[in-house]
Amino acid sequence: MILTTIGRKIFQPRQRELERHQNGGVEMQREVLMHLVGRASNTEYGLKHAFSEINNYEQFVKCVPVNSYEELKESIDRMRHGESDVLWPGRVKWFAKSSGTTNDKSKFIPVTNEGLHHIHYAGAFDTVALYLRNTPKSRLFDGRSLILGGSHSPNYNMPGSLVGDLSAILIENINPLANLVRIPKKRTALLADFEVKRDRIAQEALNKNVTNISGVPSWMLSVLTRVMELSGKQYLDEVWPNLEVFFHGGVAFTPYRQQYEHLIRSPRMQYMETYNASEGFFGLQSEPTDKSMLLMLDYDVFYEFQEMGTDNIVPIWGVESGKNYAMLISTSCGLWRYMLGDTVRFTSVNPYKFVISGRTKHFINAFGEELIVDNADQGLAYACQQTGAEVSEYTAAPIFMDDHAKCRHQWLIEFSTPPQDLRQFAALLDERLQSLNSDYEAKRYKDITLQPLEIVTARPGLFNEWLKQHGKLGGQHKVPRLSNSREHIEQLLELNA
């Protein structure tokens, strides 16, 4: 209790600063934009786009184009080869390797020293600050933090330069004092082989007083399952009686919530969502009972939002509640008006709160149905609630036309607890999707455009096997949930045969 009491005092000044998000968001974002432009004015990119002449947002828009990874790829590759002052001042030594929505197998996102501290670590600090504010009886620091991470490797053999999962970069550079309360050991945390790492983490953590866990829900669940196997216990709170919070991010928590609630019975257990990606740390669940997240506006991130289905791009002061937006970011890691690939929907604009609604490329719109990941997660949660089923992993894609000229969506689902009646589960899922999405409902009308969805049951471990085959097991990698292409689902179906 003493360590947590001391810790609270460290976080109190920042808790007061965060109150500025209530009414000062626009001013903070204007300050961030001018700070970023000023810092990068003498870089190659800043000189090319006349950063020194930019005094406001309108000039910024005129001078700087919207970028995807493809537009910045050449500059980033030069940075990886050691060139300085390209997209951000100085030489960048860290690059977060990310799978994603580009034509390349991997993206390499620069992680500058300023980005590391003023975005990523700032987000981690605020996560704890808000949790302690909301949890007066917390004993967070009186035990250990179980933090999952990925791995890293040399970057083009450049001295001192590495590429890897963002989580590995964070662990590599973490304040040494944090290692006093963190498990597993650094050497274990950075292992590349997830199956070996999973076992070692479970063994190292088994007899420790773990009070909090952090990581991607799917990979954390795999580690916790191994902990349960080693302990012989039925519930996780029998192993770690003081466990009180799971800080999670990376994928939507909805499909996993039921499994965690079955595993952890403690009434004081909390789940706090974070929106952290290789490109930056963007949002935090600021209230335990509110599933939306607070957009973090005073980090080194300037935000813009493109209304889905339009060319209209606005800064934070132009967004409206209830609309879906694709998010663009400019950051101290050298990303400028960068299309992130995520879509968000604001639930409030005072303060600015939002939910992640999907991916700009992870959706199904083969027939005008515009089905997004948020719809899919909610639909599955409803079907599980009604049938007692539990879903571990899933992906879905369209069948454009079968032998009978019929079109439909095909879902490949790995159940941890299968439904007794798969046809009932499919009907409930379909029904819920229609209630959530009017476009999907219209295409399903009288089965004219879309036939009832089809569910194929995946054998246990199929998705992890696919990830392993593609060198993506562990870390922040995940199977695309929805896709207009059948590439991924066909590979999985072949493995499932």
Side-chain angles (χ1 to χ4, degrees), residues 31 59 75 78 97 116-117 131 137 149 172 202 207 237 244 290 356 362 375 387 459 482 497:
E31 291 171 357
Q59 290 175 331
S75 294
R78 287 168 51 208
K97 185 177 179 181
L116 191 67
H117 290 90
Y131 175 73
K137 295 183 179 180
E172 186 67 51
N207 296 313
D237 38 305
E244 60 179 75
D290 183 358
I356 301 170
H362 288 193
N375 299 153
T387 62
R459 59 177 170 77
L482 304 178

Side-chain angles (χ1 to χ4, degrees), residues 71 106 112 139 187 260 299 304 340 365 419 422 429 476:
E71 276 81 44
S106 298
T112 66
R139 301 185 65 176
R187 182 172 57 187
Y260 276 90
Y299 298 172
E304 295 174 90
L340 188 61
N365 194 29
L422 190 62
L429 172 58
Q476 294 173 294

